Amino acid sequence: MGILENLYKMTAIQDIIGNPGYLLMLAIGAFLLYLGIRKQYEPLLLVPIAFGVILANLPGGNMGVVPSNLIELGEGHTKNLLEIAHDHGIMNFLYYSLIKTGFLPPIIFMGIGALTDFGPMLRNLKLAFFGAAAQLGIFTVLISAILLGFTAKEAASLGIIGGADGPTAIYTTIKLAPHLLGPIAIAAYSYMALVPVIIPLVVRLTCTNKELLINMKEMDKKYPSKVKIKNLRAVKIAFPIVLGIVVSIFVPSSVPLLGMLLFGNLIKEIGINVARLTEAATGSILNTATIFLGLTVGATMTAEVFLDFKTIMIIVGGFLAFAISIFGGVMAVKIANLFNKKKINPLIGATGLSAVPMASRVANDIALKYDSSNHILQYCMSSNISGVIGSAVAAGVLISFLQ
Amino acid sequence: MGILENLYKMTAIQDIIGNPGYLLMLAIGAFLLYLGIRKQYEPLLLVPIAFGVILANLPGGNMGVVPSNLIELGEGHTKNLLEIAHDHGIMNFLYYSLIKTGFLPPIIFMGIGALTDFGPMLRNLKLAFFGAAAQLGIFTVLISAILLGFTAKEAASLGIIGGADGPTAIYTTIKLAPHLLGPIAIAAYSYMALVPVIIPLVVRLTCTNKELLINMKEMDKKYPSKVKIKNLRAVKIAFPIVLGIVVSIFVPSSVPLLGMLLFGNLIKEIGINVARLTEAATGSILNTATIFLGLTVGATMTAEVFLDFKTIMIIVGGFLAFAISIFGGVMAVKIANLFNKKKINPLIGATGLSAVPMASRVANDIALKYDSSNHILQYCMSSNISGVIGSAVAAGVLISFLQ
Amino acid sequence: MGILENLYKMTAIQDIIGNPGYLLMLAIGAFLLYLGIRKQYEPLLLVPIAFGVILANLPGGNMGVVPSNLIELGEGHTKNLLEIAHDHGIMNFLYYSLIKTGFLPPIIFMGIGALTDFGPMLRNLKLAFFGAAAQLGIFTVLISAILLGFTAKEAASLGIIGGADGPTAIYTTIKLAPHLLGPIAIAAYSYMALVPVIIPLVVRLTCTNKELLINMKEMDKKYPSKVKIKNLRAVKIAFPIVLGIVVSIFVPSSVPLLGMLLFGNLIKEIGINVARLTEAATGSILNTATIFLGLTVGATMTAEVFLDFKTIMIIVGGFLAFAISIFGGVMAVKIANLFNKKKINPLIGATGLSAVPMASRVANDIALKYDSSNHILQYCMSSNISGVIGSAVAAGVLISFLQ
Amino acid sequence: MNQMGIAFELLGVGMITVFVILALVVILGNGIIMFVNKFIGEEPKVQAVDSSSPVVTINPQKLAAIVSAVSNVTKGAGRVTNVEKQ
Amino acid sequence: MNQMGIAFELLGVGMITVFVILALVVILGNGIIMFVNKFIGEEPKVQAVDSSSPVVTINPQKLAAIVSAVSNVTKGAGRVTNVEKQ
Amino acid sequence: MNQMGIAFELLGVGMITVFVILALVVILGNGIIMFVNKFIGEEPKVQAVDSSSPVVTINPQKLAAIVSAVSNVTKGAGRVTNVEKQ
Ligand code: NA
Ligand code: NA
Ligand code: NA
């Protein structure tokens, strides 16, 4: 009968039978939801990403992000947003206006900046240096990935997972290899959620008990630092301004990320006079950006794009990038300890990774397990926060050289 | 004198004299404001819509939505948003970016989902079935409208008013007959506000006293249901995920609406871990979307478009669609009662209409008038909420067959 | 060595050496930050503007707004937003979508309307008339600017600074002379912050002690007004509706600004039934708009555009426009006092400038210095608020005649 | 097909689909309940902080007092905005 | 017309318009007040909850106490953000 | 240059840049601290209202009471939403 036939045609049953990849993707979406909801792995991002995966893989729903060659018209021209919405639906409208333009990651950085307190870093400034060594995973995995057949741009996007910073990874990938956005974002946020597993693993393989017992507060008493901060508020206001200008002169392509991070931080530190702005940056703007970032990044993972050998390589490579970055931070501390009397606990190198503030909490827990009086959280936060700056700078270098 | 002449030319007095339709539209806008402010008919939507009507009909104000043929450039191309803003002002910029793209209704559905509690439905699942029968008005009015000379797309947009769901009606009309958006949105929201009048009217014409006295709690005691929910939270989290996937396979074109509704509901049920997202979805996003939806929908009602015979037909047809939907729900209960010992109060069919939660409150009041111990609110909420799903599915069918 | 050479090329050091204007602009940005943070000059706007200046002048950061001829493609066509984001970065994406379209100023006016209480004006309606005379600076500075070689459009944008209303100045400049947006916005907000200096200055030069001692409350007792407001709420709801319609008929081009101002005010006055909308208009929407308005307006001030003789003329002309507007208001009161027995304190003319509510506070302080019992705040608020309407109307006239 | 044909087909397809979907809602809902009952079981009693179900009751006047306190402290410039309708 | 002509015409048109509009503000305002006085009358005394005009006054320290309580309960992760400037 | 050449150059340029920048962070940070210590000096003791550091402590149950009061007054339609995570 005609009606039933038309009814059947309306459904997506035929599509799913024709491409069981859809079912696999739905299962992956459900698994990511499980990780986000039950395991509480970075739920703020993983839940929207997972739901985006599901929406994108409901055939006929018109909610999957289409490859950018369907948007390009040649000669540098593209469809406009009305045409994208009309031809490809609202998810592509959102993706191409908010993500492909590179808009949301700097906006999220503004919110993160307005939630970040540079105080712990300013009180232990020297430790900030270890945020540099913990970018090692980015560049070593980049080299490995090229060896394995990735293009330089793809390899850089894979490597940046080792920066352990979601928006930075997403921004870099948008600029260099947008077709890999889904798996790279998933890997970045998943491994950030797995920091309580990865840091202890690497630390156990690289550090001796004696090193892990180094007590930072005792070291501070023995070798007190000379600088006292008399006016923390003034320092905190001046710091993002000066840092922003100087860093930007050295790595101009990091301005969209670092500039917005420091702007967010500045309005936070100014305080009550611009509290309305800080409230918006950390509230409605950040939350709205998170929803749409998650859904659209998830929606890039259509069966056609995700079920690829590169996805597996990204998952493996992302893990290595994390591990090598932690290793780099630990080694830098060990080298510093060779030359200084004032010893540093290598856990403070491990937190140079970033993944603020979870890495610091994990490191603190390890330290307390070895010596229940060795509270190192405040020290860890210094390299931890500087690790955010470090990976944004690394991203700037990659974009500047490869774009 | 030259100055006074130029001054007169600057005013809109000449335009208003030339087309008194403007004054009529301003009066209609004022009347809608009266309904929204004084009569408190769905003020959250009617006030912005009414103000949009006024703004659009101030000649020279450049705030009326222009027909889409002024936006189209041929060959599937349209003006871009900068060109629209430049040529037609900010209201068209908003309308074409937020409404014509189909963006806002799913966003509002996300907020509604995050405000909806599926609990009452899950506790009385069987009653959810009556949300299906109460879509009857949609399809019968569609047929009548075609008989009266509407095109199929226009008739479907008219019929969907009988789904008693504002965003669904707007979404369907955007997709099928955007030139009728204004009157259809007004009719949908006005009749939703008139539910306390329409439901008693239809119920009085179709139900006997004996039926209205059916006491649901006593029935539950006599014929207890076997299923107990041991872990409501887990059920509430699984429900939107499973439902979303299964419904989407059957009616893919309902994904933008239902998918976002269920995403909103999911983040609500996950709770504290993603509370930031829920807060944004139900707060700043929903409120902002409501303001711009209202203003732009109102601004589609320029004198040229609104003062048309079709507007009157939409007002009449919309009422019929509502009434027939309620009738359908009531009849479905009556039929079910023929075959079951466990009788159901027909008011629970009437609330299948949707218009959550007002329909349930109205039905509960009627029941209490007949028997002051017959609290049926929780039962009504089941069919009431399922009526939202029902009309979104009906919209999906219409869009899928007619677009 | 190749690496170091490439490293150097990546930095912006060469650019800064090549064009020391960048350093000057960074210093100007830092100075504006100093004004906003330390001097607390309109920090909500000046801090984002200042940061925008800094971001725009970090060479290679790609955060400066480019001239619109880089966006135009000829024949009324422009690049679309994706192309703008791709070619010129996110700051241009924001500027061209939010500012060049004329979108944000009306949105900010909606928020201001929802924060404005017309009550004081309604209680002293006659004083509202003095908001007209205080627009004198707009048109006199316009004439002077043309004499000094500005085009009519540029001169109008310069003159509108004398309206002492940030969003109005920005909206007018967007429509008439967008290349001057940066300095005009800076001048408007800076002089608004300097109202505590400018008003006393002009008042001292134009008013006698006897005039400043006129006691408004005693005058009210001597010559009581006849009208009593029985139902303030109803009046406050009707006022924005009626005013909006009537003003729009006379000055249609003021609709985007005044219409949104009055819509915001209407939802505020309706109260609890639409509180969600008011909350959005005064909260997330207004705050978000302020951040992006500030950053993008700041980002228009690239070294190439800002370091121009016109900038100095704008700074001088803006001051004159403020001073002449205050003078106009004062003179209007003096003239009115010639013909009426009920004398008016000329400070109430001075506040016709607008710059709500700071102008009123300053005027009240001056009055109290002369007579510590002469509280005139409520009276000042009447002309102060009407000054907002006055400058929006003046902007409408300018746009209507010159665009 | 002519317009009326489409209209009647839509009546058929539409109502069938809606009935099928809402039947699925009932079936899936029951399925989920039974699955959860069997494999996940009872909700743990001690829950995370649930701000939507406070346990202590208090004199409503205290709320007015709070609002008032906010107003006093901020000299009229602040107000409690977020007792929002849900 | 030359630029100066436009400028002087704008001075005339602009100031006339502004004066006319603000005269209309006065006239319409008075008209609305009189219309409301005559046809709508007194505002009902018992109003809906008006959160912007609290009646009870309280020691401002209580606000600090509330903020503190929030801070305690949420272990430093929460804070009262919405005592916002209006 | 071939891909591997680029890769190794990026390793060099990237790590050098990151080290240089974080060295600058340390240097600039110390510079700012010293500048502020010398030219701006101590923070004034009596500060503007700082809502993030309340001084009075209170029984956490009072918070529940407040939430409850809000709930009571608004008959379930309102809730305290803004004890937000930071
Ligand atoms: Na990092
Ligand atoms: Na319905
Ligand atoms: Na003014």
Side-chain angles (χ1 to χ4, degrees), chain B residues 134-135 162-165 352-354 387-388 390-391:
Chain B
Q135 311 309 322
D165 188 276
L353 177 69
S354 59
V388 176
S391 41

Side-chain angles (χ1 to χ4, degrees), chain C residues 97-303:
Chain C
S97 57
L98 301 178
I99 306 295
K100 194 69 195 292
T101 54
F103 176 57
L104 284 192
I107 293 309
I108 288 177
F109 250 50
M110 176 171 73
I112 291 174
L115 291 172
T116 299
D117 180 5
F118 281 127
M121 190 168 106
L122 290 165
R123 275 187 289 264
N124 291 288
L125 256 176
K126 279 176 192 158
L127 302 178
F129 194 64
F130 297 104
Q135 311 309 321
L136 189 65
I138 297 173
F139 299 102
T140 47
V141 166
L142 189 164
I143 293 173
S144 325
I146 288 180
L147 282 175
L148 288 164
F150 280 76
T151 70
K153 289 182 179 188
E154 291 173 343
S157 303
L158 169 47
I160 200 70
I161 296 174
D165 188 276
T168 299
I170 289 171
Y171 187 77
T172 308
T173 309
I174 292 165
K175 294 288 175 191
L176 298 179
H179 57 290
L180 300 181
L181 185 54
I184 284 175
I186 289 283
Y189 282 104
S190 301
Y191 291 133
M192 281 164 69
L194 285 172
V195 152
V197 178
I198 305 177
I199 287 186
L201 185 76
V202 177
V203 165
R204 213 175 308 131
L205 292 172
T206 53
C207 301
T208 64
N209 277 13
K210 198 183 146 204
E211 284 171 329
L212 295 174
L213 280 163
I214 294 171
N215 190 311
M216 296 303 292
K217 277 187 189 149
E218 281 174 18
M219 285 292 158
D220 262 4
K221 273 182 209 153
K222 268 198 211 158
Y223 311 95
S225 78
K226 292 140 230 162
V227 189
K228 283 265 170 310
I229 303 176
K230 287 190 194 159
N231 187 333
L232 186 59
R233 186 168 179 262
V235 171
K236 278 176 160 186
I237 288 174
F239 185 71
I241 302 170
V242 174
L243 186 67
I245 293 176
V246 174
V247 171
S248 305
I249 290 172
F250 281 82
V251 195
S253 47
S254 68
V255 171
L257 285 177
L258 272 183
M260 294 306 280
L261 181 85
L262 296 169
F263 174 67
N265 187 250
L266 177 65
I267 55 178
K268 167 181 178 281
E269 295 303 343
I270 291 173
I272 196 80
N273 274 333
V274 294
R276 274 179 159 281
L277 307 185
T278 314
E279 197 188 304
T282 60
S284 50
I285 295 176
L286 180 59
N287 300 344
T288 305
T290 304
I291 288 177
F292 290 128
L293 184 85
L295 287 175
T296 48
V297 164
T300 61
M301 284 189 272
T302 53

